[in-house]
Amino acid sequence: MNFNFINSSALWALPLTLLPVLIHLLFRRPPKRVVFSDLRFLKMVLEKERPRKRIKEWLILLLRVLALLAFLLFFSRPILNVGDRWGKEDSVAMVLLVDNSCSMRAQNAGSTHWQRAVSLAQAALSSLGERDRSALVIYSDRIEYSSGYLTNLHGELSLKLKSMEPNFRGTDVFPALGSAYRILNGSGASNKVILILSDMAAHGWRAGPSVGKDLRSDWKGRIENYDAQVRILYVNLPKALSNAGVNGMDIAPDLYSGSLKVNVDVENFSAEPISALPVYFELRGGELGKKHSSETIINLGPREKKRVSLSAPNPQEEYLTGRVGIRADALSTDDEYYFARRVPEKIKVLCIEEPSGIAALSGESYYLRQALLSPPALFELRVINLSEAHQIQLESYDVVLLINPYEVERSLAEKLAGFLRKGGALFVSLGDHLNYEKIKPLAELLPARLGEKVETQGLSLKFSDL
């Protein structure tokens, strides 16, 4: 015997069946006193009618409770499957797990994995007889649909499959397996089967052994109501010939050319190498919404991930929109990546130097400033005197240039130390006419000790993406 409810959520309203009893107890009418001459005959009639009246009241109350209970059960739709009188129930109890994650959109020989899975599931359902029972669970990285119980209405499950489509989510089979074991737990069938129809994408078997091995040892500790007598059947769908996808992208300014550098993350998901794969970038921005595009060709080994760099002009706008993509393949849904991003802001530089009269022409930082502000101008530069540094919020800048300071106070050194702790960058040019005692507080921020002669044979610069 198998007793289930199609709409079990309606059972939460069962306490409402006690509402008539509550109303009866709260709104009972108190007896009225009436002045009468002789109560002997009325007392006899009352004692005779009182039991009958009480039975009538309780029967009416019971009928009200039963009517409300029947109303709630009507919405919960109970299902009772009864076997024969000797206790032999369903001959076969089968739960179909059909994967409708994004990878099921992959095509091979003109049809998708989802279409093949639906066709195989319908064939399995049509092979079951009237004494057999079946249930359907459609899943991605969550349960998208579950029939919730075993039934012999196999045609209805087949129609439900026909109405579903694959989504754009990932894959995780374990929630669906837990649901299948719960459904089979209430069946007394001698043959219990879970049929899994999936492309067996690797990301669908998280923290588990590879497909093809005996997974029962892994399932036993992860699934409630696990039953070793339940048979697990796989249907290996034909694998797609090849599939690569765009995992993500980022945009950063290029310090060498002044343009934008677009980094595209591409991955080969198949076990075969992919050669001459075009990777393209389209940007909509700039004057009058002009479109810019660039493209390159790459090769990918089996399961290889690669970051591809493309270039684009730096438009004078606040936002960038466009897309990156690769050549269409078996799974087209992961071949393009659309984006809307802010244009990377300029690097804010604060230059601190001693007062020097006409700073724009004769300042110590003149040549450095000219280099930073020359096209392409990726820097936003401000020049102040050393005495003004205490009034500036250093956290609003990315880089601080300290040019040939004559004297550095302890308070300024502590302010610069706080700026460095918050991720700022400090560039110091000391020159050859300084007094080491007057800039001693600065020594704690520098990698070399002041006053020591260090001979260098070359200069090495290392750039990182901003």
Side-chain angles (χ1 to χ4, degrees):
M1 181 180 296
N2 187 6
F3 186 76
N4 291 284
F5 294 91
I6 297 178
N7 185 21
S8 58
S9 59
L11 297 177
W12 289 101
L14 280 179
L16 293 179
T17 57
L18 299 178
L19 189 60
V21 179
L22 186 62
I23 295 174
H24 174 76
L25 296 177
L26 293 178
F27 295 95
R28 295 179 65 181
R29 295 181 180 179
K32 294 183 179 180
R33 291 189 177 186
V34 179
V35 180
F36 202 75
S37 59
D38 194 350
L39 300 178
R40 286 179 298 171
F41 298 106
L42 290 176
K43 187 176 181 180
M44 293 174 59
V45 173
L46 183 60
E47 291 178 352
K48 183 178 180 181
E49 294 293 331
R50 182 180 295 173
R52 187 182 304 173
K53 185 178 181 181
R54 285 184 175 177
I55 293 175
K56 184 178 179 181
E57 289 178 352
W58 284 109
L59 284 175
I60 293 174
L61 183 61
L62 179 61
L63 289 175
R64 289 173 178 170
V65 172
L66 291 177
L68 192 56
L69 178 62
F71 181 75
L72 294 176
L73 290 177
F74 171 77
F75 284 100
S76 63
R77 300 179 65 186
I79 297 293
L80 179 63
N81 296 325
V82 182
D84 58 35
R85 57 185 301 182
W86 299 109
K88 296 180 180 179
E89 297 189 352
D90 317 332
S91 58
V92 173
M94 177 186 293
V95 180
L96 284 83
L97 304 187
V98 185
D99 180 6
N100 77 331
S101 63
C102 178
S103 60
M104 294 294 285
R105 294 176 178 267
Q107 295 188 6
N108 191 7
S111 62
T112 65
H113 289 172
W114 169 255
Q115 292 170 339
R116 293 176 182 270
V118 170
S119 177
L120 292 171
Q122 290 175 337
L125 289 170
S126 63
S127 66
L128 299 177
E130 186 178 352
R131 286 175 53 84
D132 302 322
R133 298 293 183 265
S134 63
L136 175 64
V137 178
I138 300 175
Y139 72 96
S140 55
D141 56 356
R142 64 184 183 185
I143 296 177
E144 303 291 345
Y145 170 80
S146 175
S147 61
Y149 61 94
L150 292 166
T151 179
N152 60 355
L153 302 176
H154 314 302
E156 291 188 4
L157 299 182
S158 182
L159 290 175
K160 182 63 181 179
L161 262 174
K162 213 170 184 179
S163 66
M164 299 290 290
E165 290 289 340
N167 55 33
F168 294 92
R169 303 182 67 91
T171 311
D172 186 1
V173 73
F174 286 101
L177 279 171
S179 176
Y181 277 103
R182 283 193 297 272
I183 293 173
L184 292 174
N185 189 43
S187 173
S190 56
N191 297 312
K192 298 181 181 181
V193 179
I194 296 177
L195 177 60
I196 302 177
L197 297 166
S198 172
D199 58 356
M200 298 299 181
H203 59 280
W205 305 88
R206 281 186 276 174
S210 60
V211 177
K213 295 182 180 181
D214 185 8
L215 302 181
R216 292 189 177 185
S217 59
D218 182 58
W219 291 356
K220 187 174 182 179
R222 299 184 60 179
I223 297 178
E224 190 178 354
N225 298 318
Y226 174 81
D227 185 358
Q229 301 301 319
V230 175
R231 289 187 296 171
I232 308 294
L233 301 179
Y234 308 98
V235 175
N236 289 323
L237 301 174
K239 294 183 179 179
L241 299 178
S242 65
N243 177 48
V246 179
N247 285 340
M249 57 86 67
D250 61 70
I251 300 177
D254 190 344
L255 295 178
Y256 298 100
S257 63
S259 60
L260 295 178
K261 184 165 64 173
V262 182
N263 298 314
V264 185
D265 296 321
V266 184
E267 181 176 355
N268 180 9
F269 296 100
S270 59
E272 300 295 330
I274 300 176
S275 59
L277 178 68
V279 181
Y280 65 86
F281 166 72
E282 291 183 0
L283 172 67
R284 293 189 178 273
E287 298 178 359
L288 302 177
K290 292 182 180 179
K291 184 175 73 172
H292 170 82
S293 61
S294 60
E295 183 176 316
T296 187
I297 303 296
I298 64 170
N299 297 321
L300 290 173
R303 311 292 183 187
E304 182 183 1
K305 299 179 182 179
K306 184 175 290 187
R307 168 160 282 204
V308 184
S309 294
L310 302 170
S311 62
N314 197 344
Q316 300 301 318
E317 293 186 354
E318 186 178 359
Y319 289 94
L320 295 174
T321 59
R323 64 176 179 173
V324 294
I326 60 174
R327 177 184 60 207
D329 53 24
L331 182 60
S332 59
T333 54
D334 59 358
D335 293 339
E336 291 184 330
Y337 184 97
Y338 291 83
F339 65 89
R341 304 281 180 87
R342 285 182 176 271
V343 175
E345 297 181 354
K346 292 185 177 182
I347 302 172
K348 296 182 179 181
V349 180
L350 177 65
C351 182
I352 306 175
E353 60 180 330
E354 292 291 342
S356 57
I358 307 176
L361 297 178
S362 60
E364 296 285 352
S365 64
Y366 173 76
Y367 293 105
L368 179 59
R369 286 186 279 116
Q370 292 302 311
L372 294 178
L373 295 179
S374 62
L378 296 179
F379 300 92
E380 183 179 314
L381 183 63
R382 180 182 178 184
V383 182
I384 63 172
N385 293 329
L386 193 62
S387 59
E388 300 175 295
H390 297 283
Q391 306 171 6
I392 299 297
Q393 292 290 334
L394 299 183
E395 289 76 12
S396 60
Y397 294 90
D398 301 307
V399 182
V400 172
L401 306 179
L402 189 57
I403 308 298
N404 294 0
Y406 178 73
E407 183 178 2
V408 176
E409 299 178 358
R410 171 65 62 179
S411 58
L412 178 59
E414 292 177 353
K415 192 172 183 179
L416 290 172
F419 170 71
L420 293 175
R421 283 195 296 269
K422 293 181 179 179
L426 176 64
F427 175 84
V428 180
S429 174
L430 295 178
D432 58 357
H433 59 275
L434 52 85
N435 186 327
Y436 296 113
E437 291 298 325
K438 291 188 176 182
I439 64 170
K440 190 175 181 179
L442 190 63
E444 301 175 1
L445 308 178
L446 302 178
R449 295 179 61 183
L450 296 177
E452 288 187 355
K453 186 176 180 180
V454 179
E455 295 184 0
T456 59
Q457 297 180 354
L459 180 64
S460 176
L461 296 178
K462 181 180 180 182
F463 292 91
S464 61
D465 295 336
L466 297 179

